[in-house]
Amino acid sequence: MSENESQANLNLLKWSMILTGVSLALIIWQGMSGIGQLGYTFEGWLLEDYHASAGEIGLVISLIGLSLFLASKHEDKKLKGMQMGYATMWLLQIGLAHAISGTPWIGMIHVLIAFMMFGHGLMMMPKFKDALTK
């Protein structure tokens, strides 16, 4: 592999890490806007709409991050599995969000998965940094 190709692959891996960080920030926003739907809100904010839109944006960002990771052809199978799992959890979250209207108790599962997603994403960040320094 040439040096230019190696550098391009590291850039793709770096952008995958950045997008994972952005999606972590979206999870924090999701928590705030989700709680805001229960009445803790700012006057005039349409938190339900923001919550749904941010979730869909997070899914797209996680899928782009996964695509960039796969395109980087990085050899760390553990990080690859974690990145795939992270995108899968985002997909599951969107599915559960659409199912909540018919069965409100799914909201409890939705929140628990969000906590797991956040922890999972945080655990990925040092692994990304290690991969970028090797």
Side-chain angles (χ1 to χ4, degrees):
M1 178 169 21
S2 72
E3 188 174 322
N4 287 341
E5 186 178 351
S6 176
Q7 186 62 33
N9 290 347
L10 284 178
N11 284 337
L12 292 173
L13 187 64
K14 178 182 172 187
W15 277 104
S16 180
M17 180 182 80
I18 289 168
L19 289 176
T20 301
V22 169
S23 68
L24 285 170
L26 278 171
I27 292 173
I28 293 170
W29 168 252
Q30 289 291 96
M32 292 186 309
S33 62
I35 290 171
Q37 293 178 53
L38 300 175
Y40 305 99
T41 186
F42 299 107
E43 179 120 6
W45 286 35
L46 303 172
L47 290 178
E48 186 171 344
D49 293 340
Y50 293 144
H51 187 77
S53 298
E56 292 163 356
I57 291 168
L59 172 63
V60 170
I61 287 174
S62 70
L63 292 174
I64 292 170
L66 173 60
S67 299
L68 292 174
F69 182 87
L70 294 174
S72 76
K73 297 183 172 122
H74 190 67
E75 297 176 2
D76 187 348
K77 291 182 181 183
K78 188 172 188 176
L79 185 56
K80 181 179 184 179
M82 290 179 81
Q83 186 74 15
M84 287 181 174
Y86 189 67
T88 302
M89 284 191 279
W90 271 101
L91 187 61
L92 181 62
Q93 279 294 79
I94 297 298
L96 286 173
H98 289 286
I100 286 174
S101 61
T103 49
W105 59 268
I106 290 180
M108 293 184 285
I109 296 169
H110 184 72
V111 170
L112 290 174
I113 291 175
F115 280 118
M116 290 189 311
M117 284 171 60
F118 191 74
H120 186 86
L122 283 178
M123 288 189 297
M124 287 170 54
M125 298 312 276
K127 294 189 181 310
F128 270 119
K129 288 185 179 187
D130 288 345
L132 287 167
T133 57
K134 288 182 182 179

